[in-house]
Amino acid sequence: MNFTQSKIHEMKSDALLEMARNFVNDGEIRVYIDDIDRGWTGTKVDIENISALLNACRDLANEDRRLKFRIGLRADAYYLFRTTDASGDKVAGSVIRLDWDNHQILAVMAKRVANYMGDNVDIDELVRQPQLEISRHLYPVLTERFEAVGKWSNKPIHNVLLSFVRRRPRDMITLLKTSAVQARKNKHQKILTPDIQEILPSYSESCISDLVIEFSAELEQVEALLTNMRPTKKEMGKPGLKSVYDKGELLSKIKNIQQSKNFSFTNRDPVTPQSLANFLYKIDFIIARKEGSDGKIDRKYFDQNRMLQSQFVDFGYSWEIHPAYRWALQPYDAKSVLEQIDALMD
């Protein structure tokens, strides 16, 4: 549709009129700002731009309490601003961290399916339930158990799905939508185990593509770094879990990759095995992992603990490539990949 200049002005006028009505009724004006970290490279100029915006909004809001700002900012971008800009402490008290955990993601998916089935379920009530109970709302469209072989045999389907997503609701949506398309191709009435298994490589590739698009502005060669993190023949021949490294093994692997690839950060930070490991942790390609004496695995993401990849302290964590990316790194061995992933338990 082609808009004339007068039509555009008319639309702007309508928006301003609506804003004025809301201000009269509510006594407040709320301004929402998002995507300001698009193209973020972590340079001094980027940090200064973020700082200028945050401080300007803070000053305006202080001058008139009826004016309120909500600004969406990526966790790593805020962390860099907070630790390098002296004004960071002035906005720290206004920060609200948006952090999805797997329990909440499962509840959101159950709510979506329940709504689709015409069942009005309260999301707060869902969140209070155990995961096995929440997952029952998925059963009209999804198999109850993962009917694979080996350690995944007969696992509750919610444990399987939550093990494959990156604590992002949109990842779970992508996984289920793609599985549903495959189920239709296979003429299944609901999503079954074979439907999920068949789409895991393409799902994994889409997760890798998301990272490349999101972070190539910071590290132009990010795709080369990620794809070269695949297990080597030597690593595949060793017993135990693949794609899991202690700190020394991780740095050694990255150092070997550097010998054949040239990497450079856009902000001109030094490129070392440690700085590349920090980058992989920051983008959640690798996550911290520690197995307790009871067999339970403690996992930490960058936004939960930024200090685990410290250059000076070893906190005793191993590092694993997130399961969401492993099929893209080992497309020739999808069954083996599944056997090398530990299921998240309730």
Side-chain angles (χ1 to χ4, degrees), residues 43-61:
T43 62
K44 182 181 179 181
V45 172
D46 285 336
I47 298 171
E48 289 173 347
N49 288 338
I50 294 289
S51 176
L53 174 66
L54 295 179
N55 283 295
C57 291
R58 181 175 61 85
D59 291 343
L60 288 170

Side-chain angles (χ1 to χ4, degrees), residues 199-314:
I199 62 90
L200 286 175
S202 61
Y203 164 73
S204 185
E205 289 174 7
S206 72
C207 290
I208 290 276
S209 296
D210 286 346
L211 282 189
V212 172
I213 293 171
E214 190 170 358
F215 293 100
S216 59
E218 289 185 56
L219 180 68
E220 186 177 352
Q221 308 86 357
V222 60
E223 185 172 8
L225 176 61
L226 301 183
T227 55
N228 279 279
M229 287 296 296
R230 61 183 179 273
T232 63
K233 290 182 179 180
K234 183 178 180 181
E235 291 168 350
M236 291 299 294
K238 291 181 179 180
L241 292 173
K242 311 299 185 292
S243 300
V244 178
Y245 310 91
D246 63 29
K247 187 167 185 176
E249 291 170 336
L250 176 64
L251 295 180
S252 178
K253 183 177 182 68
I254 294 175
K255 185 176 181 180
N256 289 334
I257 295 172
Q258 280 187 277
Q259 292 177 357
S260 59
K261 303 289 180 183
N262 292 320
F263 299 102
S264 58
F265 290 111
T266 305
N267 64 4
R268 298 184 180 179
D269 279 354
V271 178
T272 65
Q274 180 67 56
S275 66
L276 289 174
N278 292 343
F279 177 78
L280 292 174
Y281 181 42
K282 182 186 75 172
I283 68 176
D284 289 335
F285 181 79
I286 58 174
I287 51 181
R289 164 198 174 103
K290 183 185 288 186
E291 189 167 347
S293 57
D294 57 358
K296 291 185 178 180
I297 299 174
D298 173 35
R299 290 182 171 90
K300 290 286 189 296
Y301 290 74
F302 175 80
D303 61 355
Q304 294 173 315
N305 195 322
R306 299 170 179 83
M307 294 303 297
L308 291 182
Q309 263 290 356
S310 170
Q311 300 185 48
F312 309 106
V313 182
D314 189 343

Side-chain angles (χ1 to χ4, degrees), residues 5 41-42 62 99 103-104 118 124 142 165 193 242 278 287 345:
Q5 196 68 25
T41 62
N62 286 339
D99 183 26
H103 190 89
Q104 293 168 326
D124 294 325
L142 189 65
V165 300
T193 300
K242 311 299 185 292
N278 292 343
I287 51 181
M345 305 309 292

